[in-house]
Amino acid sequence: MKIVIQRVSEASVTINHDKVAEIKNGLLVLLGIVEDDNQEDINYLVRKTANLRIFNDENGVMNKSLIDITGEVIVVSQFTLYAATKKGNRPSYIKAAKPDIAIPLYECFVQTLEKEIDNKVQTGQFGADMKVALVNDGPVTIIIDSKAKE
């Protein structure tokens, strides 16, 4: 499981001209899932997402977490995080989990994150053609792969 975390001052997701998610200060999380991901991967990434100290304190130092600032979150499924680009110019997505595996893991990630931060997590819609808009604050963008733990 892989996530791209972006610290945002605002973000939104629109599907068919309808805004389905919108936040101010918080995180936009893009989530990619592979077939062998499980609850351990979810727990690891949820803890990282909630506790990364990437928000500024009163001295302008990145020393506060999402929990500390009571920030908002949008989670968007993003199978393209597992694009294979070694051969040719057309990415292959064969590593990405199929919907029957990915959807339950995606939903579990969202539910686990909601419990961890004690806050509602907004989402896009799995498999939909989404328009994601954001103002990356910093910019701060962090990529975490649950299979590459230190």
Side-chain angles (χ1 to χ4, degrees), residues 5 9 33 40 62 71 109 116 133 136:
I5 295 174
S9 56
I33 300 169
E40 183 180 328
M62 286 197 290
F109 179 90
E116 184 77 15
N136 189 320

Side-chain angles (χ1 to χ4, degrees), residues 57-76:
D57 64 15
E58 53 282 345
N59 298 315
V61 177
M62 286 197 290
N63 205 24
K64 292 192 173 197
S65 71
L66 183 67
I67 293 172
D68 294 333
I69 68 154
T70 318
E72 299 178 284
V73 182
I74 297 177
V75 177
V76 175

Side-chain angles (χ1 to χ4, degrees), residues 2 4 12 44 46 76 82 84 87 91 94 110 115 117 144:
K2 188 183 297 186
V4 174
S12 65
Y44 175 75
V46 162
V76 175
Y82 282 101
K87 291 185 177 184
I94 197 148
V110 170
K115 290 176 188 168
I117 66 171
I144 306 173

Side-chain angles (χ1 to χ4, degrees), residues 91-138:
S92 168
Y93 304 107
I94 197 148
K95 290 182 181 179
K98 304 292 183 263
D100 61 321
I101 292 171
I103 291 172
L105 289 170
Y106 169 76
E107 290 172 350
C108 185
F109 179 90
V110 170
Q111 292 165 0
T112 305
L113 183 57
E114 284 179 333
K115 290 176 188 168
E116 184 77 15
I117 66 171
D118 197 29
N119 193 2
K120 176 82 170 111
V121 174
Q122 297 184 51
T123 65
Q125 180 183 337
F126 192 94
D129 180 16
M130 296 174 272
K131 306 302 180 209
V132 179
L134 69 132
V135 176
N136 189 320
D137 182 17

